[in-house]
Amino acid sequence: MKSIYTSLLAFVGLAAAVSKYDEYILAPKSRTIHPVAVYQDKINGTVIGASSLAGDSPGSAVFQGVSAVTYDFGVNIGGLVSLTIGNKTDTNQSIAVTYSESSQWISGVACDATQDSGMDEALWFYPQGPGVVSVDRQHERGGFRYLSLVHNTTGEIEVTEVTVDFTPSPTTEDLRNYTGFFHSDDELLNRIWYAGAYTIQMCAIDPTHGDALIHSEETNSSVPSDSTRPWSWYYNTTIANSSVVLVDGAKRDRLIWPGDMHVITPSMFVSISDDAAITNSIDNLFSLQNASGKLPYAGYPFKQDTYSATYHLYNLIGVSDYYKFTDDLEYVQKKWNAWKRGLNFSLGFIDETGLMNVTSPDDWLRFGQGGHNIEANAILYFTINEGLTLAAALNDSSIKSSWEKYATNIKESANNLLWNATAGLYRDNETTTLMPQDGNSWAVLANLTNNATQASAISNSLRSRWGPYGAPAVEADDAVSPFIGAFELEAHFRANNATAALELMRLEWGFMLDDPRMTNSTFIEGYAFDGATHYAPYTNDPRISHAHGWSTGPTAFLSQYIAGIQLVTAGGKTWKIAPKLGGLATAHAGFSTSVGVFEAYTNATSDGGVSIDFSTPVGSRGGIAVPYPSCGGILRMHEVEGRCKDVVLDIQTSANQTGDIEVEGLVGGDWQLRFKCAAAS
Ligand SMILES: *[C@@H]1O[C@H](CO)[C@@H](O)[C@H](O)[C@H]1NC(C)=O
Ligand SMILES: *[C@@H]1O[C@H](CO)[C@@H](O)[C@H](O)[C@H]1NC(C)=O
Ligand SMILES: *[C@@H]1O[C@H](CO)[C@@H](O)[C@H](O)[C@H]1NC(C)=O
Ligand SMILES: *[C@@H]1O[C@H](CO)[C@@H](O)[C@H](O)[C@H]1NC(C)=O
Ligand SMILES: *[C@@H]1O[C@H](CO)[C@@H](O)[C@H](O)[C@H]1NC(C)=O
Ligand SMILES: *[C@@H]1O[C@H](CO)[C@@H](O)[C@H](O)[C@H]1NC(C)=O
Ligand SMILES: *[C@@H]1O[C@H](CO)[C@@H](O)[C@H](O)[C@H]1NC(C)=O
Ligand SMILES: *[C@@H]1O[C@H](CO)[C@@H](O)[C@H](O)[C@H]1NC(C)=O
Ligand SMILES: *[C@@H]1O[C@H](CO)[C@@H](O)[C@H](O)[C@H]1NC(C)=O
Ligand SMILES: *[C@@H]1O[C@H](CO)[C@@H](O)[C@H](O)[C@H]1NC(C)=O
Ligand SMILES: *[C@@H]1O[C@H](CO)[C@@H](O)[C@H](O)[C@H]1NC(C)=O
Ligand SMILES: *[C@@H]1O[C@H](CO)[C@@H](O)[C@H](O)[C@H]1NC(C)=O
């Protein structure tokens, strides 16, 4: 039940000061980085003065005989390593470095992996005396928290400084100058928001340093390479012609994947707007569209003959995700013909049932993707609706009735053929009883569901499957996939259960920060239901990426659903402030779009009182939605600092009213809402 109040006021506002909570930002202050500690204070063999290299000033570490030490950078980083060799060095000495994102793969022999089997080779230096030695640019490493220095011969070598030139986000001048922020009274959630933002920064790369994937034909589980015979590796493939692109993972694949982009884009826009990183990536993917309208599964150099029904659609969704935050209609216009050809390509797979029949298995590496698959059809339903929104913005009515009909049929047919009311879930297709995480989450967030009861049933059923480390993807051998987990989070929000969404964030994303095998700074791409760092689709555990853009969903959701800043139309020309605290006492977020600066701060008191202060761009319009406080009392809302301080709302609520109080027709500016319980006043 909701009550709607309408107000139309002229207003000249002042933007509220944006406080930035900089202390949570994980990105480095300078691109020149030094280790912060010797990992676990352990030294193998004799290294005199090893700890003197931790910190920003030079020191002296003398490696004597066979010896090794592992340095910890405190957070996951990427870049080019240099060692300054000191003069306490014998002739004919060599020293190696090995990298690892996880503490699990620290080794004196090899790096963690970028290939389907084995590990990656160590890099050897043969300094001819004092001076600086650096890895060549093709051996920059995209992700590592731990760097081991290995000396394997008799004699002595002195290292006086270890530096890393941080190469991610190459076009960003100040890596800590975020355009958005988030803060709440839950420290774990605050850290999750900032780790998501930093993970995306790690995944923004110089496209001339993509992974060469040189052994992709040789490496598989039947051709093992062990750590004593590691594979060579290079980052020297140009994957796009631009200055920066967004890739799936910092260490690997270093490829542009449209599915990953759908999670990255909103999280990036609420934290570190980088329009170019997004449009460069979309442009690159669209340049690979073929004559039939088919869009790629992944960017170059991934083989281009693969068709994925879902990733094809994510290419299209990428354009509307970008438009939502930027209002850049000109960009959409340039892509529009290709977009329509792309959607028509998918519509060609719809059969007499009204559903798309998926004929190729490629998806996010789940099994059983085929036939009238619920996930693919929910994504198609979503994409058609996105297309209708874009078409309306472009005044293209040519496809309207045809696309609407397709959408209606998908919704009706999916509910008739695939909904199981007993389970409160959709099944994967009509020949199975498997009820997937991906399709059910997508069904709710795409509004394929017929009503709120059905959405709640799905939210509750998915929740009942959680284990101690997160939500399982039963369609991928119970892997915990933070990619599909992001869609589950959004499903809980859409089913109006913010509490469940926060609980899953703490469980799954909290584990991804705090477990000692994790980097405590960036999010891993997947792991096992029992918490093992094994990701079902891969045979090679050291290969798992620990900085994966598709795992950053919470950043967007905390800003949009918890702090409640929602862009209703492109760029936020119209908006809705709809905080749902999910049990928190405070939530404060802000971010900027081309339309202006948005900020909302909600504070709930333990007796049931609530206050919201928010600020939206002058010239924009919008409304608010706030749950009825549990106690009865007086709710007032008015503008602050404006010429016209009219109270737009002054109502008495009673205890235990359900649903939201909504106010519509507000103009952009600075607003205050105050609610006091009657008993407390
Ligand atoms: C070795 O280097 C140190 C400091 O870098 C310097 O003080 C010293 O004079 C050098 N010794 C020789 C023999 O070059
Ligand atoms: C140091 O020794 C330990 C125990 O043998 C080993 O696990 C570790 O990988 C070694 N570290 C390096 C950098 O060689
Ligand atoms: C160091 O020497 C050991 C023993 O000979 C060998 O197993 C290992 O591969 C060497 N380390 C590297 C990085 O080559
Ligand atoms: C931060 O970025 C904004 C643009 O988003 C720019 O106006 C400002 O000058 C930057 N500040 C610093 C310190 O770089
Ligand atoms: C990448 O480096 C390897 C080794 O140097 C070389 O064989 C290969 O040709 C390089 N590839 C490109 C695209 O430069
Ligand atoms: C239907 O779903 C099941 C479970 O995911 C899968 O094994 C099967 O292959 C699917 N059918 C088709 C036609 O893909
Ligand atoms: C989907 O298409 C394939 C290939 O054309 C066909 O064999 C299969 O029967 C179709 N499945 C359904 C459920 O219509
Ligand atoms: C529907 O769900 C119930 C409960 O999980 C299950 O027993 C039944 O087999 C399902 N039916 C179908 C057709 O999947
Ligand atoms: C909600 O939708 C489900 C599934 O289509 C349907 O079975 C149920 O009757 C609907 N409930 C209400 C209250 O409309
Ligand atoms: C979701 O679908 C229902 C009908 O199935 C419709 O009434 C409702 O407006 C839709 N919600 C949104 C946000 O589109
Ligand atoms: C929302 O989820 C919580 C668990 O986080 C659960 O206790 C509660 O019952 C759910 N609410 C509804 C309305 O389903
Ligand atoms: C993880 O990082 C946080 C700061 O973001 C720090 O307070 C905490 O001590 C770190 N935990 C570990 C185990 O390093």
Side-chain angles (χ1 to χ4, degrees):
M1 204 190 302
K2 64 188 179 190
S3 320
I4 298 185
Y5 301 86
T6 304
S7 139
L8 278 173
L9 290 173
F11 179 69
V12 181
L14 299 172
V18 174
S19 63
K20 303 222 320 174
Y21 303 106
D22 288 27
E23 66 272 25
Y24 294 95
I25 295 180
L26 295 162
K29 294 195 167 77
S30 148
R31 283 195 183 267
T32 304
I33 304 179
H34 297 95
V36 298
V38 169
Y39 177 60
Q40 294 188 336
D41 292 323
K42 274 198 314 219
I43 288 155
N44 294 2
T46 305
V47 184
I48 296 165
S51 63
S52 69
L53 303 191
D56 284 345
S57 41
S60 166
V62 179
F63 293 73
Q64 296 181 331
V66 174
S67 52
V69 61
T70 301
Y71 289 104
D72 181 356
F73 288 84
V75 294
N76 206 358
I77 58 166
L80 288 155
V81 173
S82 294
L83 307 180
T84 307
I85 306 299
N87 56 17
K88 284 185 212 136
T89 302
D90 300 344
T91 50
N92 294 323
Q93 291 297 308
S94 57
I95 190 162
V97 298
T98 69
Y99 302 106
S100 187
E101 294 195 282
S102 168
S103 59
Q104 239 182 324
W105 313 115
I106 289 173
S107 153
V109 179
C111 306
D112 59 5
T114 54
Q115 309 280 340
D116 289 339
S117 68
M119 298 184 73
D120 286 2
E121 67 181 359
L123 304 177
W124 282 97
F125 297 107
Y126 303 94
Q128 298 303 309
V132 177
V133 291
S134 302
V135 302
D136 51 308
R137 187 67 208 251
Q138 68 193 24
H139 284 115
E140 83 175 33
R141 191 75 171 180
F144 61 98
R145 175 173 166 173
Y146 304 99
L147 180 77
S148 300
L149 268 51
V150 185
H151 183 239
N152 227 1
T153 47
T154 54
E156 264 188 13
I157 187 165
E158 181 189 30
V159 178
T160 61
E161 194 172 5
V162 176
T163 56
V164 177
D165 172 18
F166 187 86
T167 52
S169 293
T171 56
T172 305
E173 220 170 282
D174 179 352
L175 294 161
R176 296 170 59 86
N177 188 12
Y178 283 18
T179 52
F181 64 85
F182 174 82
H183 190 260
S184 72
D185 61 314
D186 183 324
E187 283 301 322
L188 180 58
L189 295 177
N190 300 340
R191 285 169 57 216
I192 288 172
W193 192 95
Y194 284 90
Y198 181 55
T199 301
I200 294 172
Q201 293 184 287
M202 287 283 289
C203 293
I205 71 161
D206 174 342
T208 62
H209 296 283
D211 193 346
L213 301 170
I214 38 184
H215 300 292
S216 57
E217 299 301 315
E218 306 156 60
T219 55
N220 58 57
S221 48
S222 61
V223 188
S225 134
D226 57 35
S227 57
T228 57
R229 213 166 36 84
W231 299 107
S232 53
W233 56 278
Y234 304 107
Y235 285 170
N236 63 357
T237 301
T238 297
I239 60 169
N241 290 320
S242 59
S243 51
V244 59
V245 291
L246 286 158
V247 292
D248 58 333
K251 178 183 72 170
R252 61 133 276 276
D253 303 327
R254 293 174 79 81
L255 291 174
I256 307 169
W257 287 92
D260 307 51
M261 290 285 296
H262 176 52
V263 178
I264 293 172
T265 301
S267 288
M268 181 178 221
F269 275 120
V270 302
S271 57
I272 27 158
S273 311
D274 186 346
D275 292 18
I278 297 193
T279 53
N280 291 344
S281 306
I282 297 174
D283 288 347
N284 184 259
L285 292 167
F286 269 72
S287 74
L288 300 169
Q289 187 175 35
N290 76 10
S292 63
K294 180 175 89 70
L295 286 152
Y297 186 28
Y300 179 82
F302 195 85
K303 52 185 188 305
Q304 289 304 319
D305 49 356
T306 312
Y307 167 63
S308 161
T310 50
Y311 277 52
H312 168 81
L313 292 169
Y314 282 123
N315 281 289
L316 304 177
I317 293 170
V319 175
S320 74
D321 283 343
Y322 168 75
Y323 172 65
K324 272 180 208 170
F325 284 90
T326 59
D327 191 27
D328 185 354
L329 195 57
E330 211 175 297
Y331 185 78
V332 179
Q333 179 74 66
K334 278 190 242 151
K335 289 278 179 289
W336 187 234
N337 282 331
W339 206 102
K340 287 197 284 187
R341 284 199 297 126
L343 185 59
N344 284 332
F345 181 79
S346 295
L347 297 175
F349 289 87
I350 290 180
D351 64 22
E352 66 287 353
T353 61
L355 295 175
M356 172 164 67
N357 178 8
V358 179
T359 55
S360 68
D362 298 283
D363 194 0
W364 59 275
L365 300 183
R366 54 156 295 173
F367 62 69
Q369 176 57 277
H372 295 138
N373 175 272
I374 183 65
E375 181 212 15
N377 277 284
I379 296 175
L380 177 58
Y381 178 77
F382 179 85
T383 312
I384 296 171
N385 286 315
E386 297 290 284
L388 288 165
T389 304
L390 296 180
L394 293 166
N395 285 321
D396 178 353
S397 55
S398 64
I399 38 64
K400 188 170 189 286
S401 60
S402 141
W403 286 4
E404 279 173 353
K405 185 90 185 108
Y406 280 117
T408 307
N409 289 345
I410 292 170
K411 183 159 179 165
E412 193 179 307
S413 187
N415 281 297
N416 286 339
L417 293 175
L418 303 176
W419 175 244
N420 181 332
T422 316
L425 290 168
Y426 293 91
R427 55 192 168 146
D428 216 20
N429 59 55
E430 62 275 60
T431 62
T432 182
T433 54
L434 182 124
M435 300 182 194
Q437 183 192 17
D438 58 9
N440 279 287
S441 301
W442 260 104
V444 177
L445 72 92
N447 198 33
L448 192 71
T449 43
N450 283 320
N451 52 54
T453 318
Q454 197 185 3
S456 284
I458 293 172
S459 163
N460 287 328
S461 300
L462 290 175
R463 191 162 48 80
S464 72
R465 308 202 295 205
W466 295 351
Y469 305 99
V474 295
E475 67 278 22
D477 296 317
D478 278 349
V480 176
S481 166
F483 175 49
I484 304 307
F487 305 134
E488 182 173 334
L489 289 177
E490 190 158 19
H492 295 303
F493 283 119
R494 292 291 177 93
N496 201 19
N497 197 338
T499 309
L502 290 187
E503 213 174 296
L504 182 57
M505 271 185 211
R506 294 185 188 103
L507 191 66
E508 192 164 321
W509 279 264
F511 171 69
M512 287 189 266
L513 276 186
D514 285 339
D515 184 88
R517 296 162 299 177
M518 307 294 181
T519 66
N520 192 20
S521 55
T522 53
F523 291 119
I524 193 172
E525 72 179 313
Y527 54 94
F529 189 60
D530 66 0
T533 49
H534 170 71
Y535 180 50
Y538 303 158
T539 50
N540 193 27
D541 297 344
R543 177 174 186 260
I544 299 173
S545 158
H546 280 258
H548 231 62
W550 79 4
S551 305
T552 63
T555 301
F557 303 147
L558 288 167
S559 298
Q560 296 172 318
Y561 293 103
I562 297 297
I565 304 174
Q566 299 182 4
L567 308 180
V568 174
T569 57
K573 289 195 301 296
T574 61
W575 39 264
K576 186 170 183 179
I577 302 297
K580 290 269 153 61
L581 292 190
L584 298 175
T586 63
H588 187 193
F591 59 86
S592 302
T593 73
S594 54
V595 173
V597 180
F598 294 81
E599 181 173 356
Y601 177 51
T602 303
N603 192 354
T605 57
S606 55
D607 64 359
V610 63
S611 68
I612 306 176
D613 293 90
F614 67 92
S615 173
T616 53
V618 171
S620 64
R621 306 176 66 96
I624 67 151
V626 55
Y628 272 102
S630 55
C631 58
I634 303 276
L635 190 144
R636 289 205 169 93
M637 191 173 159
H638 70 96
E639 312 167 37
V640 276
E641 303 284 333
R643 272 195 304 227
C644 152
K645 292 189 186 161
D646 294 17
V647 170
V648 298
L649 200 62
D650 191 352
I651 56 163
Q652 173 79 48
T653 73
S654 50
N656 302 319
Q657 274 180 278
T658 55
D660 287 352
I661 303 168
E662 299 205 11
V663 185
E664 290 177 348
L666 302 175
V667 292
D670 298 347
W671 290 89
Q672 260 185 12
L673 176 149
R674 294 287 179 271
F675 175 84
K676 258 189 171 180
C677 290
S681 59

